[in-house]
Amino acid sequence: MGKKGRKEKKVKGAEKTAAKMEKKVSKRSRKEEEDLESLIAEFQLLDAKKTQVVESTCPPPPPRLHASLCAHPEKDELILFGGEYFNGKKTYLYNDLFFYNIKKNTWVKSEIPSPPPRRCAHQAVVVPQGGGQMWVFGGEFASPNGEQFYHYKDLWVLHLNTNTWEQIKAPGAPSGRSGHRMVLSKRQLLVFGGFHESARDYIYYNDIYAFNLDTFTWSRITPSGTGPLPRSACQMTPTLDGTGVIIYGGYSKSRAKKDVDKGTIHSDMFLLKREGKDEQEKWGWTRVSPSGVKPPPRSGFSMCLGPAGRALLFGGVCDEEDEETLEGDFFNDLYLYDITKNRWFPGQLKGGKSEKKKRRRGKKGVEEGGQMEESPQESSEEAQQPTEIIKEIITEGGTVMTIKEVIPAAQAAAEESEEEEEEEEEGAVAAPKVEPCPRSNAMVTVKHGKLYLYGGMFEVGDRQFTLNDFYCLDLHKLEQWEVLVEMDPKTQEWLEESESEDEGDEEEAKGGEDEEEDDDDEESSEEESDEEEGDEHPPVKPEESLADYQSRTEAYWQGVARTNMGPDAKDKKVQKVGLAMAKVFFEDQA
């Protein structure tokens, strides 16, 4: 009893500390978020001018990460929403909406009036009710310099049968956050974890909330047992019977000492299970210890639920941190977790001749060694170190991108022995290997037994390369990746900090335009409309100061702010946002 009491006391102490930290972060970040509200309001003002649904065939979406990719619940389509792009100097946020037609292999951009504000690191879940719906919660908006963040706590639904966005306002929602996870369990949306960050502080969450799709109400779940530590970017997978969810992995950071943060990659697994019904419903945490060949520790992996009750994990990065540097090994391997059997195993593709040999040897090893978790071969493989392979890609500008690929020890050993065997076999020709390059934060989803993978990013030194390539893999055959959109070196823009300010500004403007509208006719028309919209605002007079302009146009900008913020917003806040919007417009015209 004494030990249990100390443990409970320790948990309660941690909860109090987290509550204090949340209050501290909230207070410090409030000013930052108020500063960004004016910028968000300006974007929403432009969105509000669109009153009709416009659908247009378009090239594949420009590079991005931290977007959401969902399978349409009723049609043979995939839905891509939001995301971000960073070119070395400027951060771009999106709220654009794309539909990918699987049979036609075509993209359509859908502009629907009154969409959610621009965001990334949100969560989206599709449900079949009402002709198909996509629910979106949370996420973040960042200032162009990437130093200020606004964390959303809003809930939206896209009605797919009517092409309309609707914001659902219900009390008791989770606090603003990004990097959280959300899944459908029975008739509830379950939200777990995430983080909230300001310029100086941050906090990670391990709370869990439920949104009832029948009553449109939020409730906070307080499970029994010991659950996961606070984290973001974990994986949340519903169990097949709909009675719970599985939480795996994730990332968090803590303050090691002043101005020094230490990151933690989590690789533990938990089951959150529901018992009872309605008012008698209770939830409980249980630690899970899966068997099989587990993925090496990593963060930024992508995971989704596949056929036959198997969760799929792709890629990610394992960062090696010290106080001054941060280097990462990126992965492009595939692992499968069998929810029913509580077992991990690598998703080795059959591919050509060499891949089939490797698969047979692996099967023989399992047969000779009995159960996989008891196999001596497996334990020796887990003890071995992964093998590194270096690849180089040359961009249009001549930049050489060196990609370090980490291959698990089991796969590397098999490939080595295969190479030796093939040298002895005359005329043996291996099929060309097609696969996504190593990356983190790719968007993945499954439709009709196929895994679809879009975009993501990898780093080379101080450079971050954001991708827009697109692949699919038949999960029933597990033979070879199919390339739907190849990586385009032209999209690998990176602006160095040392470049002159004027040159940087020109490239930023060009890059931003390219990213928003992909250099098509639609971009030109949108720019023209933006200019027309800009002309509607009171113009800046020659040699007029900012203070004079704000004073002269105060009533106008207060009206714009009030329109965007609604009648319930406080006058003081409306005034502040109005002044900020006037400042943004003044600086644009200067």
Side-chain angles (χ1 to χ4, degrees), residues 557-568:
W557 288 108
Q558 299 301 311
V560 173
R562 174 63 71 185
T563 300
N564 279 276
M565 300 175 70
D568 298 331

Side-chain angles (χ1 to χ4, degrees), residues 351-383:
K353 182 176 181 180
S354 63
E355 291 291 337
K356 289 180 181 177
K357 285 184 182 178
K358 177 170 59 180
R359 187 170 63 92
R360 283 199 298 270
R361 268 198 304 280
K363 184 177 180 182
K364 183 179 178 183
V366 173
E367 289 170 353
E368 292 175 353
Q371 295 295 323
M372 186 177 287
E373 61 267 30
E374 296 170 359
S375 169
Q377 181 184 348
E378 180 196 318
S379 60
S380 64
E381 286 169 356
E382 289 182 347

